[in-house]
Amino acid sequence: MNAWSRRVVLGALAGAATFEARAQGAGPEAAWPSGPIRIVVPFAPGGSTDAVARLAAPGLQRALGVSIVVENRGGAAGSLGTDVVAKARPDGLTWLLTFDSHAVLPALVPRLPFDLRQDLEPVTLIGGAPYVAACRPDKPFRDLAAVVAAAKARPGSVTFATPGNGTIGHLVMTLLGSRAGAPFQHLPYRGGGPAVNDAVAGHVDMVVGSAALLAPQVAGGTLRPLVQFGPQRLPGLAQVPTAEESGFPGLQAEAWWGVFAPARVPAPVVARFHEALVGAFRDERVSQQITEGQQARLVLAGPQELGRFVDGQVETWGRVVRENDIKAD
């Protein structure tokens, strides 16, 4: 049984005792939420994580009856905002809604000021979407083969933007360059929004981001998708081959979004917030925006599932960081 599993079991036992106390009129969580709720997004505004948080906010507000404030705290691959939550009071008024790079932090950031397993409590695995590489339509690339050929002809000349060093987009392109013998030049940005903006403006050759992040520009014709890194083609990108179809078996990378709480938030509060999140994302308008507008799939799994999933992601991408000596911004 891993650390998260033990904590979930202990939390469930504590939660049962708390509910009994609550029935007798005791327990501080009986009055939860006692004020506005803050959802910290550890990235700049305009990216997919920010968009997912803001889609959830109205439903959470209706369900919980308090104001929901989305607060962007970008920097250091998401570790600055994550640290804010890890050190917050465990009163159920501060939550973290973060992205896949969360699982890379232990390998990426030296002397990380928090421990993913000890200082944060998994709450909800919201969903995911494959990574996609895209370029402005007037760039001379039509598919992944053209990108690789250009990089081989002039190593390091083909640039790609991502939301930052050590993000999954950076790591999958590092793997691609290594396997293709065609190194690319990485240009890290402070969030998905700025990276997309510079790709649309033509300042970089490509942007690599989740299908959710790139969906509005792809739909609007300001970006041309070249390859997707999911296990199969998305319905909304049916004409775009996967990396595996393009000659790179096993090369997969998917974005995901998850919610975490500071450690020691009472189990009943975690359960109620998870329930409110599930309700917010199952709203027909919200789920349609995520599944169709952002080309993502909803999972809405609970704490144990999120804990196990993150353990696997830590192992997979941490190895890429260490083997390629990748550092945070």
Side-chain angles (χ1 to χ4, degrees):
M1 182 181 289
N2 63 28
W4 266 333
S5 296
R6 287 195 298 272
R7 286 165 61 197
V8 168
V9 170
L10 292 173
L13 293 173
T18 302
F19 275 124
E20 182 178 351
R22 205 195 222 172
Q24 300 170 6
E29 62 274 13
W32 182 86
S34 58
I37 286 176
R38 175 174 62 153
I39 298 178
V40 176
V41 172
F43 302 102
S48 65
T49 313
D50 181 59
V52 168
R54 294 181 190 280
L55 280 172
L60 287 172
Q61 188 160 309
R62 287 191 299 270
L64 300 175
V66 295
S67 297
I68 305 295
V69 179
V70 176
E71 181 178 315
N72 297 90
R73 290 285 194 98
S79 65
L80 295 185
T82 302
D83 190 45
V84 169
V85 177
K87 291 179 169 56
R89 292 180 59 189
D91 55 10
L93 299 182
T94 301
W95 306 80
L96 175 72
L97 198 159
T98 191
F99 195 45
D100 50 46
S101 57
H102 179 79
V104 186
L105 291 176
L108 185 68
V109 181
R111 298 177 296 279
L112 198 65
F114 56 86
D115 186 288
L116 290 191
R117 293 181 175 87
Q118 298 301 320
D119 298 329
L120 293 164
E121 200 77 51
V123 179
T124 304
L125 176 58
I126 297 169
Y131 270 85
V132 175
C135 68
R136 188 165 140 156
D138 59 2
K139 293 288 182 180
F141 308 122
R142 297 289 170 180
D143 52 27
L144 183 57
V147 172
V148 169
K152 282 184 174 179
R154 297 180 59 196
S157 65
V158 177
T159 59
F160 71 97
T162 73
N165 266 359
T167 54
I168 304 300
H170 177 199
L171 300 184
V172 74
M173 289 298 288
T174 299
L175 282 177
L176 173 63
S178 176
R179 289 181 58 176
F184 304 100
Q185 184 181 349
H186 179 222
L187 300 177
Y189 285 74
R190 292 180 66 85
V196 170
N197 290 342
D198 264 15
V200 170
H203 301 318
V204 294
D205 291 320
M206 296 183 293
V207 59
V208 182
S210 71
L213 174 65
L214 304 185
Q217 288 73 28
V218 169
T222 55
L223 286 177
R224 175 198 297 138
L226 302 168
V227 63
Q228 52 186 309
F229 292 96
Q232 60 269 328
R233 298 187 188 192
L234 282 172
L237 294 174
Q239 304 307 311
V240 181
T242 66
E244 292 189 316
E245 292 173 321
S246 303
F248 296 93
L251 187 60
Q252 294 184 16
E254 289 198 279
W256 56 269
W257 302 270
V259 174
F260 297 80
R264 298 178 299 283
V265 170
V269 172
V270 170
R272 285 183 62 194
F273 195 67
H274 168 70
E275 182 181 5
L277 280 165
V278 170
F281 284 112
R282 282 184 175 159
D283 175 87
E284 184 177 358
R285 182 189 63 83
V286 174
S287 63
Q288 184 174 9
Q289 279 192 263
I290 289 178
T291 57
E292 296 181 12
Q294 299 202 52
Q295 295 297 307
R297 72 186 189 287
L298 284 171
V299 177
L300 302 178
Q304 285 187 313
E305 293 90 341
L306 176 57
R308 286 193 295 266
F309 175 77
V310 172
D311 281 344
Q313 292 289 293
V314 167
E315 172 61 27
T316 297
W317 296 113
R319 188 184 310 117
V320 178
V321 171
R322 291 187 293 271
E323 290 177 353
N324 293 277
D325 195 28
I326 293 170
K327 307 296 183 185
D329 295 333

